[in-house]
Amino acid sequence: MHHFQYVQGRLCCEGVRIEDIADRVGTPFYLYSHDTLTRHFNAFHEAFDGIDRLVCYSAKANSSQAILTLFARLGSGLDIVSGGELFRGLTAGFDPAKIVYSGVGKTAAEIDSALEHGICMLNVESRPELELINQRAALMGCRAPIAVRVNPDVDPKTHPYISTGLKKNKFGLTSQAALDVYRDAHRMTHIDVKGIDCHIGSQITEAGPFRDALLRLRGLIDQLAREKIAIRVVDVGGGLGITYRDEQPPHPKAYADAIREGLAGLDVRLVLEPGRVIVGNAGVLVTRVLYRKEGDHKSFMVVDAGMNDLIRPSLYDAHHDVWPVCEAAGRRPILADIVGPICETGDFLSRDREVPDAPPGDLLAVMSAGAYGFTMASNYCSRLRLPEVMVRNDAFDIIRKRQTYDDLIAGESVPDFL
Ligand code: LLP
């Protein structure tokens, strides 16, 4: 459920017409619905009622300060993967004790910063990383709370680029390797073994893989208990999918039931790291049609947003619905590729499918762009990063300004020896 709906043929975000925002802000821009964000977070959190849990919103899905601040105020924790996300999270007001840190390549400086702020736990992905964390904690005179990320080798049945829990992926450790690392960690003076972690992939649309992953973790948790290594936190990662087209992912409640089942009988705190399911359908990318072009084989609609603004179609062949911002009576959808201004064949927002028949000047909304949209955007071709707008009821606010040409070259310098 989201709050992008037509009222008298005009697409609105909550109580605001999108065309009115475009008049003020120009195009393209990202647009988010405050009520959708709030509703999605609360629905997810409440699905786990009765369980001791900490929902750590995954910053990588959308890390804009306004969005992070909203989730911090709703009581969320934060899943981070870099020092930059830690900085963003702390600036947005997250309690460090609710921050979990995953990722295969944490640097010494990032580990130091996480330890200094007293985050909830670092999810360790390799033995050398564990050793480094132990060393850094020793220098700081503290004990680092850790979980070991286990790679349960289950197939999440999603795009190969976003599968993470298969043996061939770079993430986590096999159960056997994890057991060895736990034994070492247990002996290290500056490590506090707190939990176990896994994250099997993203845009997962069935509950089964989550259940299977948890069952595999159980075996390890039991073995650790026999060795007097107590696991107090089980972090099941993120990954719950959303509807982009016709996918029918489990409702958070059904997902929660699968997790509940997997945890039955354990006295642990549950950590969850949802990203896409909270923000994905709470945002759209609004773009304007610049030109129509008839090729020999295809029709093209050239718009002012490109792959640098939303890379998911190019990178994963991902489907994003495209809706007209103003419905025109009697116009039938047409077969055309919606392409951006970038000099790459991969620069498309939709390909080989029916799209609204929109003449130059019309606005289009690229749906489900709230997750991995702005966060994966780049300045490729020296295109300016887009503004972001948040709507709440009848009001909207520009939560990020459009970049300027001066922003483009800020921080650059030309050496004297030229
Ligand atoms: N936790 C960890 C350790 C992760 O690596 C991720 C996502 C999440 C949580 C959040 O997953 P979510 O609930 O959003 O599925 N750029 C891709 C998605 C990459 C996901 C990377 N890790 C896309 O646009 O589909």
Side-chain angles (χ1 to χ4, degrees):
M1 225 306 268
H2 58 67
H3 295 76
F4 295 93
Q5 265 136 17
Y6 288 99
V7 179
Q8 291 162 348
R10 302 301 212 238
L11 187 59
C12 295
C13 176
E14 301 188 21
V16 184
R17 282 182 171 191
I18 294 182
E19 58 188 300
D20 293 344
I21 304 175
D23 282 347
R24 264 273 304 283
V25 178
T27 56
F29 63 94
Y30 274 99
L31 177 62
Y32 310 114
S33 152
H34 170 276
D35 279 8
T36 312
L37 293 163
T38 306
R39 184 193 169 102
H40 286 179
F41 177 81
N42 288 338
F44 190 91
H45 190 257
E46 283 157 19
F48 293 88
D49 270 352
I51 300 188
D52 177 17
R53 84 295 201 188
L54 175 62
V55 175
C56 293
Y57 165 69
S58 190
K60 61 183 78 64
N62 189 320
S63 56
S64 298
Q65 289 308 105
I67 286 181
L68 293 185
T69 303
L70 170 64
F71 292 141
R73 292 188 184 164
L74 291 173
S76 182
L78 195 67
D79 159 49
I80 60 166
V81 72
S82 70
E85 286 184 349
L86 177 60
F87 169 77
R88 280 189 169 280
L90 294 171
T91 310
F94 281 92
D95 176 356
K98 291 185 178 177
I99 296 180
V100 294
Y101 192 164
S102 309
V104 295
K106 304 175 194 79
T107 64
E110 287 175 321
I111 292 167
D112 288 356
S113 172
L115 292 176
E116 266 160 28
H117 287 100
I119 71 163
C120 171
M121 67 187 187
L122 292 119
N123 293 337
V124 173
E125 305 233 12
S126 66
R127 180 186 298 268
E129 185 197 340
L130 175 70
E131 281 160 12
L132 182 61
I133 295 174
N134 187 44
Q135 276 169 24
R136 303 312 299 181
L139 286 173
M140 245 176 243
C142 66
R143 285 179 84 212
I146 63 113
V148 175
R149 179 164 174 181
V150 178
N151 184 328
D153 196 27
V154 295
D155 185 357
K157 301 186 189 121
T158 183
H159 191 285
Y161 285 13
I162 53 177
S163 291
T164 49
L166 285 168
K167 250 193 219 151
K168 62 181 178 191
N169 301 136
K170 70 177 174 181
F171 301 96
L173 295 160
T174 62
S175 296
Q176 186 51 50
L179 182 59
D180 291 342
V181 166
Y182 270 117
R183 286 174 179 149
D184 287 351
H186 188 56
R187 275 184 238 115
M188 291 179 176
T189 28
H190 292 281
I191 295 290
D192 169 23
V193 175
K194 192 165 176 182
I196 193 164
D197 166 54
C198 81
H199 168 80
I200 56 174
S202 200
Q203 182 54 13
I204 299 170
T205 51
E206 296 168 35
F210 294 110
R211 200 178 289 125
D212 294 349
L214 211 41
L215 281 177
R216 295 195 183 180
L217 290 197
R218 287 291 297 249
L220 184 53
I221 295 172
D222 292 344
Q223 176 62 30
L224 289 168
R226 285 194 286 278
E227 301 189 18
K228 304 273 177 287
I229 303 174
I231 293 298
R232 289 163 283 150
V233 176
V234 175
D235 180 345
V236 295
L240 185 57
I242 61 169
T243 303
Y244 284 98
R245 182 176 11 193
D246 50 13
E247 305 89 333
Q248 290 186 316
H251 186 275
K253 280 196 181 135
Y255 167 71
D257 285 344
I259 307 270
R260 246 180 248 270
E261 212 178 286
L263 289 177
L266 286 179
D267 181 19
V268 290
R269 166 163 242 218
L270 172 66
V271 168
L272 302 126
E273 304 173 355
R276 186 188 321 260
V277 68
I278 311 280
V279 292
N281 279 324
V284 303
L285 168 64
V286 181
T287 182
R288 198 180 287 281
V289 181
L290 297 175
Y291 304 104
R292 295 281 290 265
K293 186 170 166 178
E294 296 304 323
D296 281 350
H297 302 284
K298 273 189 167 186
S299 297
F300 298 100
M301 208 177 271
V302 185
V303 298
D304 60 3
M307 66 189 283
N308 70 301
D309 303 309
L310 179 66
I311 203 173
R312 302 194 71 259
S314 322
L315 192 57
Y316 315 114
D317 216 7
H319 173 103
H320 285 260
D321 270 354
V322 178
W323 292 6
V325 167
C326 300
E327 283 181 318
R331 265 198 223 147
R332 300 246 143 263
I334 55 161
L335 191 65
D337 287 5
I338 300 183
V339 299
I342 287 179
C343 43
E344 296 220 21
T345 305
D347 179 25
F348 60 88
L349 297 175
S350 113
R351 197 166 54 170
D352 296 330
R353 59 174 229 242
E354 290 202 324
V355 291
D357 180 7
D362 266 24
L363 296 169
L364 296 173
V366 182
M367 306 304 291
S368 313
Y372 307 108
F374 190 93
T375 48
M376 293 180 80
S378 78
N379 284 114
Y380 186 36
C381 293
S382 289
R383 285 169 50 80
L384 303 177
R385 300 261 177 135
L386 305 188
E388 297 182 292
V389 178
M390 189 185 284
V391 169
R392 183 174 191 181
N393 301 326
D394 296 331
F396 70 88
D397 194 79
I398 300 169
I399 60 170
R400 182 195 299 266
K401 285 196 248 171
R402 190 182 305 281
Q403 277 190 325
T404 63
Y405 288 141
D406 284 335
D407 292 333
L408 269 187
I409 55 170
E412 294 185 39
S413 62
V414 178
D416 290 343
F417 54 71
L418 278 193

